[in-house]
């Protein structure tokens, strides 16, 4: 068989591997996609559990992601949008903060609440309009320092920026690069914050449905790779024109027989799911709840059943995120979270059913500055969300660019 007729061998069925596969498929190039799991998606997964649909960690889709627009059919995903704002817990009550460009009346009403000073809210508007900018700040500057340099007060930092950006970055110190803040803020402003009706896992499922089923090798654990072959753990071997590792970087290093230069850092999150009667929902609006008080482990909470079809008839689903507490026992953490939520929503919380707790140690790669690992090592291509600024979009872009690099090489040869 001539090399040009051999398939491209892709290891990893997460978003990067799927984007690489779709790009090759659209170009008419054969491929085989391997994944050790029974389902595609990698870290982007939705589990069916006791009649509920639980995302493995609350993830959202920013509809302004440029790569997502190229790979996903938003209409088919039946996206449900979050309210453009949040409710912030401070001084024993919730205060609503709204995007004044989309909800001008609500934005006006929030001007004089205690979530920051009036000048802070004007600065947010200036930032949205481009009259304030972080573009001249160095890549390595932490988001926390960037926001301080923009002139935001301590009250705005503690009551809004910290809980909001912690929920995005999944780290408490806002040590993530200002470039990630810059990108995230821009995309929040340009589009909707949304979730597929059946959960975040519908994204990789939709992508997989666009691929030939006989090109997917699921439940295949790969043990070894080279620049033109993939070998499974049970000794099966496939030859290809090129090999792509669309895995986490340390897994890629292991498959290549390399020692990692240094341990890769990850941001983690504990996601606590509670079930409650739908009639007991404190609010029907699909809005994010933030902790602006700093008291208690819960950083943010969403009643997901106001946003997606994730709960059985008559039930509602609450998802609470806890950040920076992975050293603690999940049971005691859950009980402390329940006490905090009882303070927020009243005695009815005591009867909420604890449905499931996820401890996600590797939720997103840490990003103190934009990441630029080598894309080709020993003739093997690599892609994933650890290229650039980690996100759903960076995973898709990395997969596409890898496929295009392989296609360009084929044309030259």
């Amino acid at each position: 068989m001539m090399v040009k007729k051999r398939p491209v061998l892709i290891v990893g069925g997460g978003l990067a591997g799927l984007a690489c596969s779709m790009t090759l498929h659209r170009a008419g190039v054969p491929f085989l996609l391997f994944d050790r799991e029974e389902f595609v998606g990698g870290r982007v997964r939705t589990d069916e559990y006791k009649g509920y649909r639980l995302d493995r960690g609350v993830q959202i889709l920013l509809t302004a992601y440029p790569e997502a627009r190229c790979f996903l059919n938003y209409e088919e995903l039946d996206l449900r949008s979050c309210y453009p704002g949040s409710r912030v817990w401070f001084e024993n009550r919730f205060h609503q903060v709204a995007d004044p460009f989309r909800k001008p009346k609500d934005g006006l009403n929030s001007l004089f609440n205690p979530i920051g000073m009036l000048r802070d809210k004007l600065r947010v508007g200036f930032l949205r309009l481009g009259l304030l900018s972080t573009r001249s700040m160095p890549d390595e500057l932490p988001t926390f320092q960037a926001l301080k340099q923009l002139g935001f007060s301590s009250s705005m930092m503690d009551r809004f920026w910290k809980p909001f950006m912690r929920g995005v970055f999944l780290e408490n110190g806002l040590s993530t690069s200002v470039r990630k803040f810059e990108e995230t803020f821009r995309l929040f402003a340009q589009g909707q914050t949304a979730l597929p009706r059946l959960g975040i896992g519908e994204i990789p499922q939709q992508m997989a449905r666009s691929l030939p089923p006989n090109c997917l090798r699921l439940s295949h654990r790969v043990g070894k790779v080279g620049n033109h072959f993939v070998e499974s753990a049970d000794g099966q071997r496939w030859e290809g024109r090129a090999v792509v590792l669309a895995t986490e970087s340390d897994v890629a290093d292991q498959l290549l027989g390399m020692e990692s230069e240094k341990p890769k850092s990850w941001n983690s999150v504990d996601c606590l799911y509670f079930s409650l009667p739908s009639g007991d929902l404190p609010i029907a609006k699909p809005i994010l709840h933030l902790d602006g008080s700093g008291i208690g482990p819960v950083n943010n909470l969403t009643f997901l059943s106001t946003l997606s079809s994730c709960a059985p008839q008559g039930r509602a689903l609450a998802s609470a995120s806890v950040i920076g507490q992975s050293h603690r026992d999940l049971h005691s953490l859950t009980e402390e979270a329940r006490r905090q939520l009882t303070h927020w929503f009243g005695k009815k919380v005591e009867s909420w059913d604890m449905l499931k707790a996820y401890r996600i140690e590797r939720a997103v790669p840490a990003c103190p500055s934009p990441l630029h690992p080598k894309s080709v090592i020993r003739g093997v291509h690599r892609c994933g969300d650890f290229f650039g600024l980690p996100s759903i979009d960076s995973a898709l872009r990395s997969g596409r660019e890898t496929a295009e690099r392989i296609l360009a090489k084929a044309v030259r040869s």
Side-chain angles (χ1 to χ4, degrees):
M1 183 185 294
M2 294 178 61
V3 172
K4 284 190 177 182
K5 292 185 178 179
R6 292 176 180 172
V8 176
L9 307 176
I10 303 165
V11 181
L15 297 187
L18 290 167
C20 184
S21 301
M22 287 181 68
T23 305
L24 293 170
H25 183 56
R26 288 170 176 176
V29 173
F31 70 92
L32 290 176
L33 175 68
F34 301 85
D35 198 277
R36 63 186 178 184
E37 300 290 341
E38 185 181 354
F39 304 101
V40 296
R43 283 178 275 125
V44 182
R45 290 280 295 275
T46 299
D47 296 331
E48 294 187 16
Y49 182 77
K50 295 184 177 180
Y52 295 83
R53 298 182 65 85
L54 309 180
D55 294 340
R56 292 194 183 184
V58 175
Q59 304 178 60
I60 48 88
L61 174 69
L62 300 182
T63 60
Y65 280 146
E67 298 291 333
R69 289 172 170 174
C70 297
F71 285 103
L72 303 178
N73 182 329
Y74 287 177
E75 184 176 353
E76 183 184 284
L77 288 172
D78 196 3
L79 296 179
R80 308 298 175 89
S81 297
C82 300
Y83 177 86
S86 58
R87 300 177 80 212
V88 183
W89 181 262
F90 180 69
E91 293 182 338
N92 296 318
R93 63 181 291 255
F94 281 111
H95 305 271
Q96 186 162 301
V97 177
D99 180 348
F101 294 87
R102 290 178 179 158
K103 298 288 183 179
K105 183 178 178 181
D106 291 351
L108 185 63
N109 289 338
S110 67
L111 275 179
F112 299 100
N113 69 28
I115 309 306
M117 308 167 99
L118 177 60
R119 62 183 177 87
D120 291 312
K121 291 154 189 177
L122 293 174
R123 276 182 166 79
V124 173
F126 293 155
L127 192 61
R128 176 78 182 270
L129 292 169
L131 302 176
L132 271 181
S133 175
T134 57
R135 286 192 293 272
S136 63
M137 298 179 182
D139 289 354
E140 297 76 17
L141 189 71
T143 291
F144 178 80
Q145 293 297 330
L147 290 169
K148 296 291 282 186
Q149 287 188 26
L150 288 174
F152 288 106
S153 68
S154 296
S155 63
M156 186 66 169
M157 294 293 290
D158 293 339
R159 299 169 199 173
F160 178 75
W161 283 123
K162 284 183 180 178
F164 183 72
M165 296 314 301
R166 281 170 182 161
V168 176
F169 298 156
L170 304 184
E171 51 93 3
N172 282 329
L174 304 196
S175 59
T176 297
S177 167
V178 64
R179 295 286 84 80
K180 179 62 181 173
F181 166 79
E182 189 176 282
E183 177 188 71
T184 304
F185 185 86
R186 172 174 51 82
L187 292 170
F188 270 118
Q190 290 177 349
Q192 302 292 322
T193 304
L195 188 68
R197 183 178 65 83
L198 295 178
I200 198 70
E202 283 300 294
I203 290 175
Q205 292 299 323
Q206 183 190 84
M207 295 176 74
R209 287 194 294 269
S210 72
L211 301 172
N214 63 338
C215 294
L216 304 180
R217 298 289 191 270
L218 303 179
S219 300
H220 277 61
R221 183 178 291 274
V222 171
K224 188 177 180 181
V225 302
N227 60 345
H228 288 297
F229 76 89
V230 163
E231 191 174 290
S232 65
D234 62 5
Q236 295 182 73
R237 185 182 175 98
W238 293 264
E239 300 284 339
R241 73 170 74 180
V243 172
V244 177
L245 289 178
T247 66
E248 295 167 4
S249 58
D250 56 346
V251 174
D253 291 342
Q254 291 170 15
L255 291 173
L256 289 167
M258 298 171 46
E259 289 189 13
S260 299
E261 296 178 4
K262 59 181 180 179
K264 304 300 188 293
S265 296
W266 289 82
N267 297 338
S268 63
V269 62
D270 294 323
C271 185
L272 314 178
Y273 281 106
F274 296 92
S275 168
L276 62 149
S278 56
D280 289 349
L281 267 174
I283 186 170
K285 186 186 298 181
I287 189 170
L288 178 69
H289 294 75
L290 297 173
D291 174 40
S293 69
I295 302 171
V298 174
N299 180 76
N300 54 276
L301 175 140
T302 303
F303 292 102
L304 283 179
S305 50
T306 64
L307 190 61
S308 64
S309 299
C310 57
Q313 185 71 28
R315 303 296 294 180
L317 185 68
S319 174
S321 295
V322 177
I323 298 161
Q325 300 290 324
S326 59
H327 60 284
R328 295 185 55 190
D329 170 73
L330 265 176
H331 176 73
S332 60
L333 190 64
T334 298
E335 291 308 305
E336 187 177 343
R338 188 190 293 275
R339 289 192 292 273
Q340 180 183 356
L341 298 179
T342 300
H343 191 48
W344 285 11
F345 300 113
K347 288 280 188 181
K348 287 185 177 180
V349 175
E350 295 175 1
S351 64
W352 290 6
D353 295 330
M354 178 60 208
L355 196 60
K356 193 173 178 64
Y358 287 92
R359 171 151 285 171
I360 305 171
E361 304 263 352
R362 295 184 166 204
V364 64
C367 184
S369 63
L371 309 174
H372 302 289
K374 292 181 180 178
S375 56
V376 182
I377 295 180
R378 298 181 180 177
V380 176
H381 301 264
R382 300 197 306 168
C383 58
D385 66 348
F386 56 93
F387 284 84
L389 301 169
S391 67
I392 285 175
D393 210 57
S394 66
L396 297 173
R397 181 176 59 252
S398 177
R400 173 184 59 78
E401 290 177 345
T402 298
E404 289 174 348
R405 187 166 60 244
I406 293 169
L407 293 170
K409 184 178 180 181
V411 170
R412 290 196 299 271
S413 61

